[in-house]
Amino acid sequence: MRRLREITKEKRGDAMIVVMAILAVMVVLGVTLLLSASMVLGTAKKNVTGERLKIMASSFSEVVEKDLVVDGSSGIKTYVKKTIDDGWPVYDPKAEPQAEGVYKKINVSQDNQAIKDRLDGYDVEVEMYHYKKSGQEKLVVTTITSKGDNKYKLAVTYVLQSNGTSWQKEGVE
């Protein structure tokens, strides 16, 4: 009986070491699971932000397109015509840097408080320049949406119609 007690007393420490090792493995697995879940959530958040930027840029680009291609007058058509008539410098792809005033920028989110309140921290900017190619007047309208480090650009090219007042969509970049 004494001999049995001596053997069991010597083995008690071994069992505790095994239990502690199993607990350590479980803690490491738990931390690993938490870390991977955090990374997946971060990636999903970036993807959602990117998609919102694309949707926002497309939406603002559609609004600009409707104003430019509509028959009759609109705010953007009037602004573009007046700016060209006032001597808006033409974009020259060979010139670096471009002449001053070639790019016209409208920061939608800063210029309009009602829109800024709805954008939830996103910034929207519209950048325009015009050039002539093969005798045709062309207008490039780039809608830029951003939030933090994420940015999305959508450029649409329009061609001035022969009547001199209407624009037609030519292509998207």
Side-chain angles (χ1 to χ4, degrees):
M1 189 78 140
R2 265 190 180 160
R3 180 116 171 109
L4 184 59
R5 281 187 194 162
E6 287 176 15
I7 292 174
T8 56
K9 281 184 184 179
E10 291 174 11
K11 300 290 184 183
R12 283 187 187 167
D14 293 345
M16 185 60 85
I17 291 172
V18 171
V19 168
M20 293 302 284
I22 290 172
L23 285 175
V25 169
M26 293 177 91
V27 167
V28 168
L29 289 175
V31 169
T32 304
L33 185 63
L34 244 143
L35 180 63
S36 63
S38 173
M39 290 175 58
V40 167
L41 185 62
T43 304
K45 191 174 184 180
K46 279 185 179 181
N47 289 344
V48 167
T49 301
E51 286 302 313
R52 279 191 76 184
L53 290 173
K54 287 178 185 178
I55 291 168
M56 223 179 272
S58 297
S59 297
F60 274 94
S61 183
E62 286 174 14
V63 169
V64 170
E65 180 181 338
K66 285 179 184 175
D67 272 8
L68 279 174
V69 300
V70 70
D71 290 331
S73 67
S74 69
I76 294 177
K77 277 172 69 171
T78 304
Y79 172 77
V80 170
K81 183 172 178 11
K82 182 180 181 318
T83 306
I84 290 174
D85 291 345
D86 288 346
W88 182 8
V90 176
Y91 173 82
D92 181 6
K94 296 175 187 168
E96 281 300 325
Q98 291 297 318
E100 194 172 316
V102 168
Y103 299 101
K104 298 294 180 187
K105 292 184 181 183
I106 302 167
N107 193 320
V108 177
S109 51
Q110 288 181 354
D111 296 342
N112 190 329
Q113 187 62 37
I115 291 176
K116 186 177 182 178
D117 292 341
R118 292 183 178 164
L119 291 178
D120 191 31
Y122 290 81
D123 289 321
V124 179
E125 183 177 88
V126 176
E127 180 181 83
M128 296 182 273
Y129 65 89
H130 73 107
Y131 65 97
K132 293 189 180 194
K133 185 175 181 183
S134 304
Q136 289 186 309
E137 184 79 32
K138 298 192 178 200
L139 176 70
V140 178
V141 179
T142 305
T143 305
I144 306 161
T145 55
S146 62
K147 183 170 186 175
D149 294 340
N150 297 321
K151 189 179 239 184
Y152 184 78
K153 289 184 175 186
L154 179 65
V156 181
T157 305
Y158 298 93
V159 178
L160 185 63
Q161 297 301 298
S162 57
N163 62 14
T165 58
S166 297
W167 296 88
Q168 181 178 0
K169 184 175 180 179
E170 181 181 67
V172 178
E173 289 182 35

